[in-house]
Amino acid sequence: MPDDNVIRIPGSTRTFHRARILAVLLLPLAMSLMAVSSVNVALHTIETGLGATPTDIQWVLSGYALAFGITLIPAGRAGDVLGRGSLFVAGLLLFVGASLACGLAPAPVSLNVARVVQGVGAGLYSPQIIGMIQEYFAGPARARAFALFGLVISVSVAIGPIVAGAIIAWLGPELGWRGAFLVNLPLGVLAVILALAWFPFAIERRRWAARTERRRVGGPRPEAIDLDPVGAVLVAATVLCVMLPFMQHPHPAIWLLLLAAAGFAALWIGWERRYAARGRAPMVDLRLFAFRSFSNGILISGTMFVGSATVFVLVALFLQSGLGVSALETGLVGLPNAIVSGYASMWAGRRVMTSGRRIVLLGLAAMVVGSTLCIVVAALIARAGWSHWVLAVPLMFNGFGMGVVGSANQTLSLSDVPVAEGGTAGGVKQTAERIGTAIGNTVITGVLFAGHDLAGWTTGFVAGFTVIVVVHLIACWLAYRDLVQHRAPAPGTDG
């Protein structure tokens, strides 16, 4: 009886194991997301330890996010063409090297340069994770793999502040933030070693075999590799102009970049259409968006991230700045969220093939409930003297929702995407999520600070979470619309 966990690659006598491949893929995924969430609780110690200005601190967050966001789509396309395993290893090595540079940074400028390089590394390897899951898993096995993918996303975002807080508490404020970066070194080196040992490198093997055969028989030279560099520049410029105003806005004129983004987007779409019409391979095949599952999934996740990615930013600001809670305790408040989220990811993965869109809607509704209860609990903390630990209870609802949606929506979004374009599609989806995160971090934290200036931290927290509730209600509507559309799929799409 064949072993479904075993992979055999033409041209190789070795056997490869799906479980090992998935384990290697998920470890760096956690590292890339913890590199975002863990920094939130380390910002104060970075500021005091390096003598950084508020602008320097802002770039610690935005430099990584910008580099990550503009790299995802070109990296996904490059992995689909050149080989996902190779791009994964290259990106991971860059991420590890940049993490070392972050931990040893002597000044704010060098830290921020290293953070940009770290973001590029994460952007290189992240779409390869989705591409290889698409390539090596199918049917229920793919659903289980994406359930674990969702579990890692949910848990790593929640656990990042706990790990950073614990390291800062252990090593002290001077060295603790450096340790939060340096912890990536042993994990990253281990992942590189295991990737070289366990990855099939299937695309690379096919390209090498074809090159060897051409040399043997003296055939014609192969066609040049087409990575659509113009398309890559245009899509990167579009993403940069969308994200930058939501991260750096010292002058009102920076919002004009949104107009530039619209222009770059129009140029990119026109270029990709003409490029495909000439028989070339565009950076992104725009026909992907004809799949309802893909286009709707991007809308749902991008909208959800506007609210969900900001939840722990608001919690950290409210607890640390408003209530004087330590970084470690702030992280621990989110621990039940991480546990519930992990359970929900696996629960959803077992049901996505039969009830996927209904449970996405259920998960988003749970996030509405959780965010609403956060408002109630914050008011009771301020007015009735409740303990800040009670905030962990409503955050469990958010954790359930994140786990469910992260797992199920990932599977549904890519269900109709051709395997050959899995990395590109994954890059597009992750880019939408990064844009949603940037918008949420600026708009919702802006609402929090406006409320704080008006009437204190509790008012700001309530105002920010009110916006989160509205965003999650919009995501619920999009999920309901997706559910209705897939009850009667249009001919020639994905039904």
Side-chain angles (χ1 to χ4, degrees):
M1 185 175 179
D3 185 354
D4 291 337
N5 188 46
V6 172
I7 299 171
R8 290 178 172 83
I9 303 298
S12 173
T13 58
R14 289 184 57 193
T15 57
F16 303 90
H17 300 269
R18 289 184 172 87
R20 293 178 180 177
I21 294 170
L22 187 60
V24 178
L25 293 175
L26 296 182
L27 177 57
L29 173 66
M31 291 165 55
S32 69
L33 294 169
M34 289 174 66
V36 178
S37 64
S38 64
V39 170
N40 289 327
V41 300
L43 291 178
H44 178 68
T45 56
I46 292 173
E47 185 175 14
T48 57
L50 285 183
T53 66
T55 300
D56 293 328
I57 291 300
Q58 191 173 19
W59 271 107
V60 172
L61 294 173
S62 58
Y64 177 90
L66 283 170
F68 193 8
I70 66 176
T71 307
L72 285 166
I73 297 176
R77 168 65 179 162
D80 290 343
V81 174
L82 300 175
R84 297 169 183 134
S86 298
L87 265 290
F88 179 92
V89 171
L92 186 52
L93 286 171
L94 192 62
F95 181 89
V96 170
S99 297
L100 175 61
C102 286
L104 300 179
V109 172
S110 55
L111 172 61
N112 283 315
V113 170
R115 280 287 282 176
V116 170
V117 177
Q118 192 183 39
V120 172
L124 281 174
Y125 73 68
S126 289
Q128 318 313 330
I129 297 171
I130 295 174
M132 281 193 273
I133 291 176
Q134 285 283 99
E135 182 177 5
Y136 297 125
F137 297 82
R142 182 183 293 172
R144 289 192 295 271
F146 277 130
L148 288 167
F149 181 93
L151 182 153
V152 170
I153 290 176
S154 302
V155 172
S156 59
V157 169
I159 211 77
I162 300 174
V163 173
I167 293 174
I168 292 170
W170 175 39
L171 297 177
E174 292 295 325
L175 295 177
W177 68 268
R178 296 182 184 275
F181 287 114
L182 295 175
V183 73
N184 289 321
L185 268 65
L187 297 176
V189 170
L190 174 63
V192 168
I193 293 171
L194 294 179
L196 293 173
W198 290 349
F199 278 2
F201 295 98
I203 296 173
E204 294 89 338
R205 289 177 188 273
R206 286 197 297 269
R207 294 182 64 244
W208 180 261
R211 185 185 301 120
T212 302
E213 180 65 15
R214 282 191 296 269
R215 289 174 178 172
R216 188 180 67 82
V217 301
R221 295 183 62 182
E223 294 184 7
I225 295 172
D226 189 356
L227 293 177
D228 185 13
V230 174
V233 171
L234 289 174
V235 75
T238 302
V239 174
L240 180 64
C241 289
V242 170
M243 293 182 69
L244 191 59
F246 292 100
M247 295 180 170
Q248 297 287 326
H249 41 88
H251 192 280
I254 199 169
W255 294 101
L256 293 175
L257 285 176
L258 294 179
L259 295 177
F264 280 123
L267 287 173
W268 173 63
I269 292 171
W271 170 266
E272 297 292 58
R273 286 174 173 166
R274 291 191 296 272
Y275 206 67
R278 298 202 304 267
R280 307 293 295 275
M283 169 62 53
V284 177
D285 188 342
L286 299 179
R287 291 175 297 181
L288 285 174
F289 295 97
F291 295 116
R292 283 177 177 171
S293 54
F294 182 64
S295 56
N296 287 354
I298 289 175
L299 282 174
I300 292 167
S301 62
T303 302
M304 181 193 74
F305 267 77
V306 172
S308 61
T310 317
V311 165
F312 281 100
V313 177
L314 266 61
V315 168
L317 287 169
F318 176 61
L319 293 181
Q320 292 183 265
S321 300
L323 302 181
V325 176
S326 70
L328 179 57
E329 285 190 27
T330 299
L332 290 173
V333 167
L335 182 58
N337 170 288
I339 295 170
V340 172
S341 183
Y343 167 79
S345 295
M346 302 309 297
W347 179 85
R350 293 192 295 269
R351 292 164 175 78
V352 66
M353 303 302 292
T354 56
S355 309
R357 289 180 170 82
R358 289 195 294 273
I359 61 177
V360 167
L361 185 56
L362 172 65
L364 290 166
M367 296 174 78
V368 171
V369 172
S371 298
T372 303
L373 290 176
C374 282
I375 294 172
V376 175
V377 170
L380 290 171
I381 290 172
R383 297 179 183 178
W386 282 27
S387 169
H388 64 272
W389 293 107
V390 180
L391 197 57
V393 177
L395 289 173
M396 291 167 66
F397 286 88
N398 290 75
F400 177 83
M402 276 295 295
V404 166
V405 179
S407 170
N409 189 58
Q410 187 72 43
T411 303
L412 296 171
S413 298
L414 301 177
S415 59
D416 300 303
V417 171
V419 170
E421 298 179 72
T424 304
V428 171
K429 183 175 181 293
Q430 287 183 300
T431 300
E433 293 165 355
R434 300 286 71 77
I435 291 173
T437 299
I439 293 172
N441 280 340
T442 294
V443 173
I444 297 175
T445 55
V447 170
L448 177 140
F449 286 121
H452 164 263
D453 293 342
L454 182 66
W457 284 108
T458 301
T459 299
F461 182 87
V462 169
F465 262 88
T466 300
V467 178
I468 290 174
V469 170
V470 173
V471 170
H472 288 161
L473 284 171
I474 295 171
C476 279
W477 176 77
L478 291 171
Y480 176 74
R481 174 175 167 267
D482 183 45
L483 174 64
V484 171
Q485 287 182 349
H486 278 84
R487 286 174 177 167
T493 54
D494 50 12

